[in-house]
Amino acid sequence: MSWLNPERYSLPLVISVVLHIVLASLFLVEWPTEPHVPEPVPPHVVATVVQVQSAAEKQRQLEADKQQKRKELAARREAERKKKLAEQKKREAEQKKKQAAAKKREQEKALKEKALAEKQAKDKAAKEKAAKEKAAEQAKQKAVQEQNLLEQMAQEEAAAELKEQQEAKIQAERAASLTLEFTDQIKARVESVWRYPPAVTASQEVEVRITLVPTGQVLQVQITKSSGNTALDRSVEQAIRKASPLPVPKDVRVFEANFRSFLMKFRPENATW
């Protein structure tokens, strides 16, 4: 391209560079100026400035004093705080020391109490063991004595029972003998007054229940099994009442057991048939 040819813009470029150098030189050159003369200050203005400066100085001094006092107060407070802190630490240290001593005393006391408790427990255990052994020995002796007593009582009871059985057997034999004896007597007594009707047979039988009192008096006669012959039944009942009082044993037990209320059978043995 033709517009990029260096021959076409070399001249303007040189001119531009020269102008820039000139301008820079102008800035570097110091131009002469007139000397500055301060204007005179009126006297009253100077006094006012001095007074203002003195008041400001006093104010600064007051502020400095206040600042110093604040620093001193802060220092005293800090010293008091440190002192109190130190005293508190000292009290805490003494308190810890007292607590440690008290804890040590408590531990020693606890150890003594523990040792005493263990000793008491051992003594108690030994006493209890001795008491148990003694109680066991006594219980063993008592058991032996009770066993011997039970055996003795059993032997005595067996002997008494045997004796009672023997006596009961004797009484039973005696009661049976008395019962048989008085049954025969009653039957004989009734038959001695019995007048049964004619035309009866030996196979006819009347069963009655007789109720007596201990004197032998007849309270009741009840036909429990009829012979089939009303006249025969009635004749038996009449004979029993006619035979009253009937012979009874004097032994109350035998009477109550066998003659208070009892059954008896009657047959016309000597009847013709």
Side-chain angles (χ1 to χ4, degrees), residues 194-210:
W194 182 23
R195 299 292 180 267
Y196 49 83
V200 295
T201 62
S203 61
Q204 292 177 323
E205 184 178 75
V206 181
E207 183 182 82
V208 296
R209 176 171 291 281
I210 305 171

Side-chain angles (χ1 to χ4, degrees), residues 15 53 58 73 75 82 107-108 182 194 233 240-241 245 256:
I15 296 172
Q53 290 178 348
K58 288 181 179 181
L73 180 61
K82 289 182 178 180
Q107 290 176 348
E108 291 175 352
F182 280 91
W194 182 23
D233 296 344
I240 293 171
R241 292 186 180 280
E256 293 293 338

Side-chain angles (χ1 to χ4, degrees), residues 5 20 35 42 46 55 57 59 62 90 100-101 127-128 157 164 183 191 217 221 235 239 241 243 258 261:
N5 190 353
H20 278 82
V46 174
E57 183 66 25
Q59 186 66 30
L62 289 174
K90 183 178 179 181
K127 289 180 180 179
E128 289 179 352
E157 288 178 358
E164 287 178 359
T183 300
E191 288 179 348
Q217 296 291 334
V221 179
S235 68
R241 292 186 180 280
N258 300 291
S261 179

Side-chain angles (χ1 to χ4, degrees), residues 77-249:
R77 289 179 179 176
E78 180 65 17
E80 290 177 357
R81 186 186 68 81
K82 289 182 178 180
K83 182 179 179 182
K84 289 181 180 179
L85 183 61
E87 290 176 353
Q88 183 179 358
K89 288 183 178 180
K90 183 178 179 181
R91 287 194 299 269
E92 289 178 354
E94 291 177 353
Q95 184 67 23
K96 288 182 179 180
K97 186 177 179 181
K98 290 180 180 179
Q99 290 178 353
K103 186 176 181 181
K104 184 177 180 181
R105 288 194 299 271
E106 289 178 358
Q107 290 176 348
E108 291 175 352
K109 182 179 178 182
L111 289 173
K112 290 180 180 179
E113 291 178 351
K114 183 179 179 181
L116 180 60
E118 289 177 352
K119 184 177 181 301
Q120 291 177 348
K122 288 181 180 179
D123 294 342
K124 184 179 179 182
K127 289 180 180 179
E128 289 179 352
K129 183 179 179 181
K132 286 181 180 179
E133 291 177 352
K134 184 178 180 180
E137 184 64 25
Q138 291 177 349
K140 184 178 180 181
Q141 294 177 358
K142 186 177 180 181
V144 172
Q145 292 175 355
E146 289 179 352
Q147 183 65 28
N148 294 335
L149 182 60
L150 288 174
E151 291 177 357
Q152 183 179 356
M153 290 175 63
Q155 292 174 358
E156 291 176 355
E157 288 178 358
E161 185 178 356
L162 180 60
K163 185 178 180 180
E164 287 178 359
Q165 290 177 355
Q166 292 174 350
E167 290 180 354
K169 184 178 180 181
I170 293 171
Q171 292 292 336
E173 292 175 353
R174 180 173 175 274
S177 177
L178 287 173
T179 300
L180 182 60
E181 178 184 351
F182 280 91
T183 300
D184 292 341
Q185 290 182 19
I186 290 171
K187 193 169 187 180
R189 178 70 174 270
V190 173
E191 288 179 348
S192 67
V193 296
W194 182 23
R195 299 292 180 267
Y196 49 83
V200 295
T201 62
S203 61
Q204 292 177 323
E205 184 178 75
V206 181
E207 183 182 82
V208 296
R209 176 171 291 281
I210 305 171
T211 303
L212 304 177
V213 295
T215 59
Q217 296 291 334
V218 177
L219 292 180
Q220 185 180 8
V221 179
Q222 181 183 3
I223 304 297
T224 57
K225 185 177 180 182
S226 174
S227 64
N229 187 328
T230 304
L232 181 60
D233 296 344
R234 189 168 56 255
S235 68
V236 171
E237 182 180 354
Q238 291 174 350
I240 293 171
R241 292 186 180 280
K242 187 177 180 180
S244 180
L246 299 176
V248 292

